[in-house]
Amino acid sequence: MGYFDAASAAPLHPVARQALQASLDEGWADPARLYREGRRARVLLDAAREAAAESVGCRPDELVFTASGTRAVHSGIAGALAGRRRVGRHLIVSSVEHSSVLHSAEVHEADGGTVTQVPVDRGGAVDPAAFGAALRADTALACLQSANHEVGTEQPVAAVAGLCREAGVPLLVDAAQSLGWGPVDAGWSLLTASAHKWGGPPGVGLLVVRKGTRFAPQGPVDERESGRAAGFENIPAVVAAAASLRAVRAEAAQESARLRGLTERIRKKVPELVPDVEVVGDPVRRLPGVVTFSCLYVDGEALLHELDREGFSVSSGSSCTSSTLTPSHVLRAMGVLSEGNVRVSLPVGAAEGDVERFLDVLPRAVAAVREKLGAPVSEAVVREEDALVVDSLGKRCPIPVIELAKVIGDVPVGGLVRVLSDDEAARLDIPAWCQMRHQEYVGEEPADGGTAYLIRRST
């Protein structure tokens, strides 16, 4: 079986399994107690904290364990904003942050704060100059992920951290996707991570707050974890998380080079094997094991099911896999094709043979989905005086783009096609299709029941 969704959750590392089993007998007691069992638990907790801090590159007393990476993000943002409330209530995030960051930003804005989202380029990276331009006198906190969870693009953390430091603004880095591969560039003030991303057990997060960073924990006060993470520590899981982080770091250099070779092969071969595919994300500055691509004329959910039947577990940012029928905020911010989106994220130890088998299966899977969606569309096409009109109202991705592709050849070069759609994904996918197929995207205008997208035939 090919489990290719490590960016969601990596398989439990063997070292994590061993540490978890070994600590179950010693780490069950309350580490705050002075009797023998409590002292044993405290020794395990302190050792895990020191090991994790060494991997992060911080002091042990700067790091606390939380119930998840999401909880670490929520607590970190809320505490940093509260600690600097006298400075102002302005928060900066990138437009491709993890949903935990964006949800925290929404709560902050609903509470009267202000939020600036810094855009990204088509590869998914922020421009440090644009990030710096967003800094203001009332900026309380800035947030930037170390690497993107959907497309693997690494962010210019060092450059942004330098600008934040000059402005006196703390920077929170969500390092969930990258911490297993190495420490984050220096200059950050707060850092969060999640153990299940590097092969530790789920339910363990890290929150690091550098000394000197103003921070006011929110919610009821708890005496555990410096008051920054309430509740009884899950010591066996914490021990396993710290042990596995150290283990994957020891393997990181060699494994990173190996996985980069495998993902480079996927990036190169998929466009050769499957027509009408866009590989997205920065081709160079990216995580070792992540490669993402989108296939025209494909329903993302159907493609994932087709690949699952063939024994491959992958994920998608396509709107077709979402109950909201809106594309991933990451793909939307990048302005890339969202339909038929596939993210392959290889786990540590992924076999080359599984990658080759995936490349063999993928063309058949895409062709099968496209065939199912290839119904005639002549009834949906009418001619106006100046354009060919495709009525795709009430039809979801990728039907509007399929219908556009089928009729573009029916108008002369310079002629217009007007696609009517009420699917939000069309606002992203039709311009992306035009760029891929070298047609001119003219723009959009209101239409009865939805939006009209105008495309001029260029080739």
Side-chain angles (χ1 to χ4, degrees):
M1 296 293 286
Y3 179 76
F4 288 175
D5 195 22
S8 292
L12 193 66
H13 194 281
V15 169
R17 185 183 303 277
Q18 294 167 4
L20 184 64
Q21 292 175 336
S23 59
L24 284 172
D25 291 334
E26 298 290 335
W28 53 267
D30 187 345
R33 301 305 177 212
L34 299 179
Y35 43 69
R36 181 187 302 109
E37 293 86 356
R39 294 196 304 271
R40 288 175 179 170
R42 170 56 63 180
V43 168
L44 289 175
L45 180 59
D46 289 346
R49 196 184 315 277
E50 290 177 5
E54 181 181 0
S55 296
V56 170
C58 67
R59 294 169 37 157
D61 59 353
E62 294 174 330
L63 183 150
V64 299
F65 296 104
T66 65
S68 67
T70 293
R71 173 54 58 190
V73 167
H74 291 171
S75 299
I77 292 177
L81 288 172
R84 285 176 49 84
R85 186 156 184 154
R86 290 186 179 181
V87 173
R89 305 204 62 203
H90 179 231
L91 171 66
I92 301 175
V93 300
S94 85
S95 58
V96 294
E97 294 298 310
H98 188 268
S99 59
S100 60
V101 174
L102 299 183
H103 291 161
S104 291
E106 291 171 0
V107 170
H108 176 62
E109 200 164 28
D111 191 41
T114 58
V115 177
T116 296
Q117 281 199 14
V118 179
V120 296
D121 61 21
R122 194 170 175 84
V126 300
D127 179 359
F131 209 101
L135 293 165
R136 307 186 326 209
D138 65 336
T139 302
L141 178 67
C143 300
L144 181 65
Q145 60 191 189
S146 55
N148 186 259
H149 50 292
E150 289 194 25
V151 299
T153 297
E154 294 178 335
Q155 299 293 352
V157 171
V160 170
L163 294 171
C164 290
R165 186 169 55 250
E166 291 175 7
V169 174
L171 176 67
L172 182 148
V173 174
D174 171 14
Q177 292 295 336
S178 72
L179 194 60
W181 299 109
V184 177
D185 290 335
W188 49 267
S189 301
L190 302 98
L191 180 142
T192 62
S194 187
H196 74 279
K197 302 293 188 180
W198 65 68
V204 180
L206 303 182
L207 169 60
V208 182
V209 182
R210 292 284 199 194
K211 292 294 182 182
T213 302
R214 291 187 177 276
F215 191 88
Q218 298 300 285
V221 176
D222 192 294
E223 68 276 9
R224 299 181 185 275
E225 293 299 296
S226 305
R228 294 174 182 171
F232 198 100
E233 298 92 345
N234 184 348
I235 294 176
V238 163
V239 170
S244 57
L245 179 57
R246 176 176 284 181
V248 298
R249 282 290 192 81
E251 308 162 351
Q254 182 175 353
E255 186 65 4
S256 171
R258 193 182 73 86
L259 291 186
R260 283 190 189 279
L262 294 178
T263 53
E264 280 295 342
R265 178 158 178 77
I266 296 173
R267 289 180 65 89
K268 177 177 181 294
K269 294 298 293 183
V270 167
E272 296 176 2
L273 297 170
V274 182
D276 299 315
V277 164
E278 180 179 14
V279 180
V280 301
D282 193 290
V284 178
R285 290 183 54 84
R286 58 184 177 82
L287 293 171
V290 178
V291 56
T292 306
F293 54 89
S294 298
C295 308
L296 275 172
Y297 324 132
V298 168
D299 178 302
E301 186 170 9
L303 180 56
L304 262 58
H305 286 312
E306 196 74 29
L307 290 171
D308 184 43
R309 281 192 288 271
E310 295 283 353
F312 291 98
S313 303
V314 298
S315 63
S316 174
S318 171
S319 60
C320 309
T321 64
S322 168
S323 60
T324 63
L325 295 176
T326 58
S328 144
H329 71 277
V330 172
L331 301 178
R332 186 190 305 118
M334 294 168 61
V336 298
L337 184 70
S338 74
E339 66 186 50
N341 179 260
V342 173
R343 179 188 67 183
V344 173
S345 49
L346 304 178
V348 170
E352 181 178 355
D354 286 341
V355 170
E356 293 302 323
R357 191 165 67 85
F358 174 79
L359 292 172
D360 180 58
V361 163
L362 181 67
R364 297 197 305 271
V366 173
V369 175
R370 284 175 172 168
E371 183 178 2
K372 293 175 184 176
L373 295 171
V377 296
S378 57
E379 294 181 1
V381 179
V382 298
R383 291 188 180 274
E384 292 182 348
E385 184 175 344
D386 60 343
L388 192 67
V389 179
V390 176
D391 186 354
S392 292
L393 295 170
K395 299 176 181 178
R396 300 306 179 196
C397 77
I399 299 301
V401 181
I402 292 176
E403 294 182 342
L404 166 61
K406 288 187 174 182
V407 304
I408 191 71
D410 294 341
V411 299
V413 173
L416 287 175
V417 176
R418 195 166 180 261
V419 180
L420 306 180
S421 177
D422 54 359
D423 183 4
E424 180 65 25
R427 180 166 282 111
L428 179 63
D429 289 347
I430 289 177
W433 178 89
C434 290
Q435 181 167 351
M436 292 177 66
R437 307 299 296 182
H438 307 293
Q439 306 295 344
E440 180 187 355
Y441 177 66
V442 178
E444 64 177 72
E445 60 188 24
D448 291 341
T451 302
Y453 301 93
L454 276 67
I455 301 90
R456 189 183 310 280
R457 183 182 175 190
S458 300
T459 59

